[in-house]
Amino acid sequence: MQFFGGSAAIGITPSPAAPPGTATSLSGNNANMLYIFNRNGVCLLYREWHRPLRTLDAQQDQKLMFGLLFSLRSFTAKMDPTSVDKGNLGVPLLPGQGCSYHSFQTNTYKLSFMESPSGIKLILVTHPKTGDLRDSLRYMYNLYVEYVVKNPIYVPGSAIKCELFNTNLDQYVKTLI
Amino acid sequence: MGREVAESCVDAVVIEMVSAFCHNFYSAEPELAARRIEAIGYQVGHQLVERYTMDCPRFTDHLEAIKFICKEFWSELFKKQIDNLKTNHRGTFVLQDNMFRWITRISPNPLQENTTESIATNDDNQTTQTTSMHLYFPCGIIRGALTSLGIPCVVSADISHRPACSFVVRIKA
């Protein structure tokens, strides 16, 4: 009755991410969203291909994502059972130090993460059955270097507004399994 | 020749040189900046062609020299040859490169749905301006190379179809 049909139900239960091969949006992309942050927390790029559920506005969404990455990073470093030298736990960690996580998975999506030595963080959200996406993230980082860093018009530290980069990125995402 | 440098370094130096001359040194006079960049290219072309023609015999006529520029010289610089060479046999040559490496990465801002006409044309202007600034350096290189081979000339660039660009060489009679 009202429990199932009411409008209150919409927007709370997230719809499951589409399995590969089904044409969800116009282009049948296989990833949901991509975020790129630089080392100061500025969101350089946010691109979405398939996102039916949106809980926050864009600004808060990005701040929340960056905060999550930062906390996850120090959490994983502190919980590391193998490292003998704990070092200074209060000091912010450099990109290569400590142990670094690369993905977490829920029953509806998988979030993969990669951080470059220069502090550029790539976050890719896909459906849960994806394999290890570290190579794909590395390829996307190469695309960033080729089309954004080497573009004479781009100002480092600002949002990425590069036609070539967007086109190549969309093309690559279509080939992800 | 022992030592090598990464290509990205050369690309980055060229980008920074153009940007420094356009924004820092001669920001009020783009004409002067263009002339300085072309002069730097002239020096570079002059010296490079000395190095690359060490073992070659003298060129018999203008066409041979231009063909050398299109094939060996361009391959040494950009790892590819000039794709198309046209001439009117009266001292004008057009060298066309379909994928000129220093301007392939220049990319305009993507068009959004609510961009107004003026903003769209502004972005386009900026792309065209940046592209033409980046082409003064290779024009200078070609001019320096040909002058060093004994052929005084004037070189200009034409960017009607990006990323293909043409260099027009006019030999002074």
Side-chain angles (χ1 to χ4, degrees), chain A residues 8 10 12 32 59 63 70-71 73 77 82 89 95 99 112 124:
Chain A
I10 301 172
I12 298 178
N32 290 33
Q59 276 274 38
K63 279 196 213 155
F70 193 75
S71 328
R73 181 106 211 291
T82 60
L89 292 179
C99 66
S112 312
L124 186 64

Side-chain angles (χ1 to χ4, degrees), chain A residues 62-101:
Chain A
Q62 285 155 15
K63 279 196 213 155
L64 180 67
M65 181 60 80
F66 187 73
L68 165 76
L69 299 178
F70 193 75
S71 328
L72 257 185
R73 181 106 211 291
S74 21
F75 174 74
T76 49
K78 284 174 194 144
M79 290 293 289
D80 185 3
T82 60
S83 86
V84 173
D85 159 41
K86 281 296 173 179
N88 298 327
L89 292 179
V91 173
L93 301 164
L94 296 173
Q97 269 181 350
C99 66
S100 52
Y101 61 98

Side-chain angles (χ1 to χ4, degrees), chain A residues 146-147 149-153 161-166, chain B residues 8 15 104-110 126-127 130 134:
Chain A
E146 281 298 318
Y147 293 109
V149 174
K150 292 190 182 177
N151 181 3
I153 304 183
K161 293 201 179 71
C162 227
E163 186 121 23
L164 279 177
F165 178 62
N166 290 346
Chain B
S8 313
I15 293 176
T104 45
R105 302 290 179 232
I106 301 182
S107 148
N109 292 339
Q126 195 198 15
T127 318
T130 318
H134 279 265

Side-chain angles (χ1 to χ4, degrees), chain B residues 24-119:
Chain B
N24 297 352
F25 298 161
Y26 297 104
S27 45
E29 306 131 320
E31 287 302 317
L32 274 189
R35 264 199 269 160
R36 283 306 306 258
I37 297 175
E38 213 254 352
I40 295 177
Y42 180 84
Q43 287 277 30
V44 172
H46 196 84
Q47 288 157 356
L48 278 180
V49 94
E50 295 279 352
R51 189 185 274 231
Y52 295 145
T53 55
M54 260 190 328
D55 305 313
C56 292
R58 195 178 264 262
F59 294 111
T60 43
D61 69 354
H62 295 319
L63 188 58
E64 288 300 313
I66 297 275
K67 288 209 293 207
F68 166 79
I69 301 277
C70 293
K71 296 196 183 148
E72 283 96 5
F73 192 66
W74 219 251
S75 323
E76 293 279 356
L77 286 185
F78 304 110
K79 296 213 179 99
K80 64 185 283 287
Q81 299 182 351
I82 290 274
D83 298 306
N84 208 341
L85 172 64
K86 293 195 269 255
T87 174
N88 70 352
H89 294 291
R90 272 194 296 250
T92 306
F93 296 88
V94 179
L95 287 69
Q96 188 181 348
D97 191 339
N98 288 335
M99 198 50 125
F100 187 56
R101 104 190 273 129
W102 288 333
I103 57 171
T104 45
R105 302 290 179 232
I106 301 182
S107 148
N109 292 339
L111 297 165
Q112 285 134 1
E113 290 86 39
N114 45 4
T115 328
T116 59
E117 263 303 313
S118 55
I119 299 182

Side-chain angles (χ1 to χ4, degrees), chain A residues 125-141:
Chain A
V125 176
T126 52
H127 64 86
K129 304 249 182 9
T130 331
D132 186 11
L133 282 175
R134 269 181 288 183
D135 287 331
S136 311
L137 285 171
R138 212 164 294 140
Y139 185 82
M140 285 191 206
Y141 178 66

